[in-house]
Amino acid sequence: MSSNSRVQILLPVAVDQAFDYRPPVGVVAAKGMLVKVPFRGKSTVGVVWCESGAADVPDSKVKNIEEVFGLPPMPEKLMQFIEWTANYNMAHNGAVLGMAVSGIGDQGSGIREKKNNKTDPRSLTPDHWQLTAAQNTALDKLLPHIRADNFNVTLLDGVTGSGKTEVYFSAIRKSLEEHPDNQILIMLPEIALTQSLIERVKSRLGITPTVWHSNLTPKKRRENWLAIATGDAKLIIGARSSLFLPYLKLSLIVVDEEHDASYKQEEGVVYNARDMAVVRASIEKIPIILVSATPSLETVVNVKAKKYDEINLPARFGDAKMPEIELVDLRKEKREKNCWVSEKLRRELAENLARGEQSLLYLNRRGYAPLTLCRACGHHLKCPYCSAYLVQHGKNLQLLCHHCGHSSRMPEKCPECQEKDTLIPLGPGIERLEEEIKDFLPQARILTLSSDTVESAKAMKKAFADIEDHNVDIIIGTQMVAKGHHFPQLTLVGIIDADSGLAGGDFRAAERTFQVLHQVSGRAGREKLPGKVIIQTFQPESRVIQTILANDRHAFMVMEMRVREDNNLPPFGRLAALIISGKKEAMVRNYCNMLAKSAPMLNGVKILGPAPAPLTLLRGKFRYRFLVKANKSIHIQKIIRDWLNASPVPSSLKVKVDIDPYSFV
Ligand code: ADP
Ligand code: ZN
């Protein structure tokens, strides 16, 4: 190979194009190689994207590459995937690249490979595990899919506690035994879930998986990135961003809890990791397994269209039965002031405690109270930077904005009318619920679980150990408890406010509520003891509550599918959101009006807006939204690109494009 005089380097910055650089004399800078180059006064890691320079850059402008790293070059298929992701989500190539090289930061040299034998499939412990007949049947159906040396998608669909995890563990074991060089990625929607899965992998397979998420220390990050890039890491458990890593030999992706909306990344590059995982699998020509007890409508429609295969596990493992579900009609309940637990649920909690069994209360609100009101003037305490109410954390202690993180001490006077001692909390958060429970069950040992109480992996581990060791009688948790966890001794689940997710303009609200109610309910009675679920609701007749009560997911899905199809909503139609934001509202509005005037008028395309976003003010910036609806056959990205190109964005404003939006605030 002769050395090239100029190459194009893609850098992890928010631009699309690669820049020309000159390789060191006598050194080959081949496509995919990781290099260090000077950029805007700093040394930056980049990737050789093209082995020849762009013709229109004069030689005098071209800087030298500082270093060519001796790391494995970025695989060609990953480069394709980066471009595909950027193109589909209307993000910059460089920004997507950033996720792929984030493990090396700006110091690609200096990182040393650390051999870790615990990850070696040769140290897989012998399998003593006995799958049930149903699980074996599922495994037998799954194996041909993962052995087929091509792209295919399988939905592993089974009720909560049916052993889906055990089945895909068995499949992974087989795959690693047959091909010890292969790499397998298990994706999870949330960091909070990684810890317990790691433990399960260790005890079931005997190997230590390599972890990837945004909370790793820089050192761990580098180590794990390198283990993945060199192929040393065979089994990887990761959150969203693990999808963009430079696997040497990726052979299978498992997306657990595939329905989970947390797979949608909302900041930076906006993308849906579940959908992009399917794309990566198709580019890599490898199998992918989507796992869920409540598959997303998107996936169900793909199964129906025979694009995805489906494997079912219809019953819970062992003697465990699906829990019995009862409703409490909150319209008829006379609860005391500042109490949220109905008579019935109180009785059940007390009885469960007396029996020595564990209970779980689900309320998706962090903190003490969602609102703080001035009794004298009626003022609600608001965030100064967002159009949002401040959430009280700790009784009369602290006020926190859940949108921007702004935090302040609880004031003594109302900031509006200056009266003293007039501020009162309104509504419950999990901390206030804890107070209520303590009041009528003083002997109960309570644990609150939310992102506030278990911030670190260590705290998480301890919380789960406490639950498992039965040092806890009642768990009060946010959506964090709805997912994937297995608490063997938990027999009662109380849902405090089943309707809270149904408000607002989100067309997925019903689907998401169904999923979360089903998932939370699914935490009850997962082993020998039978489970019971009490759902408190103001809308007992709604189709979500009725189908949950009947445990009839199919009926719910059929109805939901019809609603989406009739309204040409995803997955039947296409949707994209444009969020225009800036410090000066008038400027935002002017630009939006200009966009509105030049909005494309095409058959099969409908543009709604501009309208102030529900969260009109966020971090001190005003936000307006457009919604683009289009028929399935329409290339929505092209339309948006042409539209925006015709009205260049003023530098003081930002336009965020959100393809397949999940958030409508
Ligand atoms: P899912 O992933 O479908 O929710 P899990 O795989 O977590 O279900 O299984 C539920 C519980 O039942 C777990 O504790 C699991 O270890 C146990 N379990 C499932 N299948 C078996 C089996 N064949 N033998 C022993 N325990 C099993
Ligand atoms: Zn705020």
Side-chain angles (χ1 to χ4, degrees):
M1 238 191 302
S2 64
S3 59
N4 25 12
S5 65
R6 246 202 236 183
V7 293
Q8 287 175 52
I9 309 283
L10 187 66
L11 296 169
V13 292
V15 293
D16 281 327
Q17 90 268 24
F19 298 96
D20 276 25
Y21 284 91
R22 197 177 298 110
V25 179
V27 176
V28 177
K31 193 166 177 179
M33 279 185 173
L34 287 125
V35 298
K36 187 152 88 181
V37 297
F39 183 72
R40 293 184 187 148
K42 276 201 307 202
S43 285
T44 306
V45 169
V47 172
V48 179
W49 216 249
C50 179
E51 286 181 17
S52 56
D56 55 352
V57 186
D59 257 338
S60 58
K61 283 255 172 113
V62 177
K63 292 197 185 117
N64 293 329
I65 293 177
E66 288 168 359
E67 191 181 348
V68 177
F69 295 135
L71 294 166
M74 179 171 280
E76 171 95 36
K77 283 176 178 166
L78 176 54
M79 297 168 75
Q80 266 176 43
F81 177 58
I82 288 171
E83 287 183 349
W84 201 100
T85 303
N87 195 30
Y88 181 86
N89 295 291
M90 301 187 68
H92 295 295
N93 284 332
V96 181
L97 175 76
M99 298 193 279
V101 298
S102 71
I104 35 180
D106 52 6
Q107 38 179 317
S109 54
I111 50 178
R112 293 272 161 275
E113 193 174 346
K114 204 175 108 187
K115 279 275 175 216
N116 184 350
N117 289 327
K118 285 208 251 33
T119 62
D120 191 334
R122 274 166 298 229
S123 53
L124 276 168
T125 50
D127 193 7
H128 299 302
W129 205 262
Q130 283 282 320
L131 291 184
T132 63
Q135 290 168 349
N136 258 323
T137 309
L139 179 64
D140 286 345
K141 285 190 193 152
L142 191 55
L143 286 176
H145 286 98
I146 64 170
R147 282 181 181 138
D149 221 356
N150 61 23
F151 167 63
N152 63 81
V153 190
T154 309
L155 168 65
L156 182 55
D157 176 357
V159 299
T160 49
S162 57
K164 297 183 292 299
T165 316
E166 301 298 347
V167 169
Y168 78 66
F169 277 180
S170 295
I172 286 173
R173 169 188 286 280
K174 276 267 181 316
S175 175
L176 289 175
E177 280 169 354
E178 288 166 14
H179 305 279
D181 286 339
N182 282 355
Q183 291 178 299
I184 297 175
L185 167 64
I186 307 177
M187 293 182 68
L188 293 173
E190 250 169 69
I191 299 174
L193 292 168
T194 47
Q195 199 52 44
S196 60
L197 199 73
I198 293 168
E199 300 303 325
R200 264 180 94 169
V201 166
K202 280 197 215 162
S203 75
R204 177 78 148 64
L205 302 175
I207 59 172
T208 307
T210 302
V211 197
W212 188 266
H213 54 66
S214 56
N215 270 5
L216 296 177
T217 61
K219 182 164 169 278
K220 209 59 233 145
R221 235 179 145 66
R222 270 202 298 280
E223 258 174 48
N224 292 1
W225 186 91
L226 199 63
I228 287 164
T230 55
D232 204 21
K234 308 296 184 200
L235 183 54
I236 298 93
I237 294 183
R240 296 181 293 245
S241 57
S242 61
L243 189 58
F244 296 91
L245 295 173
Y247 300 92
L248 195 69
K249 203 157 183 264
L250 189 60
S251 66
L252 171 66
I253 304 175
V254 177
V255 182
D256 205 346
E257 311 286 350
E258 72 85 30
H259 63 277
D260 199 306
S262 302
Y263 276 120
K264 182 74 195 243
Q265 162 80 33
E266 301 283 359
E267 304 282 322
V269 180
V270 181
Y271 66 95
N272 185 318
R274 190 252 339 263
D275 296 345
M276 293 306 113
V278 174
V279 173
R280 180 142 195 197
S282 85
I283 290 176
E284 300 276 352
K285 302 195 171 56
I286 57 169
I288 177 167
I289 309 172
L290 308 178
V291 184
S292 177
T294 51
S296 62
L297 195 82
E298 280 79 0
T299 295
V300 170
V301 169
N302 279 324
V303 169
K304 231 179 130 215
K306 303 240 180 309
K307 286 190 201 155
Y308 297 179
D309 283 303
E310 181 187 28
I311 296 173
N312 275 298
L313 280 169
R316 278 192 161 179
F317 167 70
D319 300 329
K321 300 268 174 312
M322 291 309 282
E324 177 194 331
I325 302 178
E326 284 180 47
L327 299 184
V328 171
D329 186 344
L330 289 177
R331 293 169 308 188
K332 294 183 188 147
E333 271 279 319
K334 286 193 185 55
R335 284 170 302 170
E336 272 177 58
K337 206 170 163 223
N338 295 334
C339 287
W340 291 275
V341 183
S342 60
E343 257 328 296
K344 170 152 192 68
L345 185 50
R346 283 182 178 223
R347 215 167 39 240
E348 295 280 354
L349 281 168
E351 284 169 15
N352 219 37
L353 183 65
R355 275 194 299 267
E357 293 172 22
Q358 278 176 329
S359 305
L360 166 72
L361 295 178
Y362 171 73
L363 175 68
N364 200 19
R365 276 199 213 116
R366 291 157 52 204
Y368 185 80
L371 290 171
T372 302
L373 165 88
C374 170
R375 251 187 300 128
C377 72
H379 177 69
H380 289 84
L381 297 188
K382 285 201 194 96
C383 175
Y385 309 107
C386 305
S387 25
Y389 296 117
L390 290 168
V391 179
Q392 214 179 105
H393 281 246
K395 190 175 186 178
N396 292 328
L397 203 67
Q398 197 196 15
L399 294 166
L400 205 66
C401 173
H402 283 187
H403 296 285
C404 72
H406 170 73
S407 126
S408 55
R409 286 186 67 83
M410 187 75 180
E412 284 177 12
K413 293 187 288 194
C414 169
E416 193 73 11
C417 70
Q418 308 299 325
E419 285 282 326
K420 260 188 142 181
D421 301 324
T422 58
L423 297 172
I424 53 164
L426 272 192
I430 56 169
E431 296 170 18
R432 202 173 189 189
L433 198 60
E434 179 183 18
E435 199 176 82
E436 181 183 345
I437 307 292
K438 273 190 176 149
D439 207 46
F440 75 88
L441 290 175
Q443 69 280 33
R445 295 162 302 172
I446 304 175
L447 174 76
T448 53
L449 266 186
S450 74
S451 52
D452 301 314
T453 56
V454 285
E455 267 179 284
S456 65
K458 214 171 132 200
M460 191 74 164
K461 215 168 161 175
K462 174 155 186 340
F464 287 120
D466 277 341
I467 298 173
E468 201 137 311
D469 299 342
H470 212 146
N471 296 328
V472 173
D473 300 309
I474 300 176
I475 306 152
I476 305 181
T478 59
Q479 49 89 27
M480 184 181 260
V481 301
K483 310 182 176 181
H485 304 295
H486 182 71
F487 305 133
Q489 302 164 77
L490 186 81
T491 51
L492 175 66
V493 166
I495 291 165
I496 300 298
D497 179 4
D499 320 317
S500 64
L502 288 171
D506 181 350
F507 72 91
R508 287 195 186 83
E511 183 191 0
R512 226 180 277 172
T513 299
F514 183 91
Q515 283 160 347
V516 82
L517 294 183
H518 191 85
Q519 292 280 351
V520 181
S521 303
R523 300 309 113 206
R526 285 168 67 97
E527 288 200 353
K528 291 190 187 66
L529 298 166
K532 189 176 226 182
V533 181
I534 311 281
I535 299 182
Q536 305 193 145
T537 172
F538 283 101
Q539 308 172 35
E541 296 90 13
S542 68
R543 71 191 156 98
V544 177
I545 303 288
Q546 281 302 317
T547 46
I548 283 283
L549 189 62
N551 191 15
D552 196 347
R553 189 184 88 201
H554 181 72
F556 175 79
M557 281 302 192
V558 168
M559 283 190 274
E560 187 65 16
M561 229 179 277
R562 200 171 308 140
V563 174
R564 300 272 183 96
E565 199 160 12
D566 289 350
N567 293 288
N568 204 22
L569 284 165
F572 301 100
R574 293 188 190 280
L575 203 61
L578 259 56
I579 298 116
I580 295 96
S581 60
K583 279 201 171 126
K584 298 215 168 73
E585 188 171 13
M587 281 196 71
V588 175
R589 222 181 303 135
N590 284 343
Y591 179 65
C592 284
N593 289 339
M594 196 167 111
L595 275 183
K597 280 193 201 113
S598 63
M601 283 196 272
L602 298 165
N603 252 344
V605 181
K606 210 157 128 190
I607 294 182
L608 309 169
L615 204 57
T616 313
L617 195 63
L618 176 65
R619 295 189 184 93
K621 299 222 168 97
F622 290 91
R623 305 164 73 242
Y624 278 63
R625 303 179 55 110
F626 284 94
L627 205 55
V628 185
K629 280 181 80 176
N631 290 348
K632 190 89 186 186
S633 59
I634 284 172
H635 187 353
I636 200 167
Q637 288 88 346
K638 180 176 182 326
I639 289 170
I640 296 173
R641 216 167 265 138
D642 291 348
W643 183 21
L644 291 176
N645 282 344
S647 307
V649 188
S651 61
S652 59
L653 302 184
K654 217 184 129 195
V655 177
K656 171 174 150 181
V657 181
D658 185 354
I659 304 290
D660 309 326
Y662 274 65
S663 166
F664 295 85
V665 294

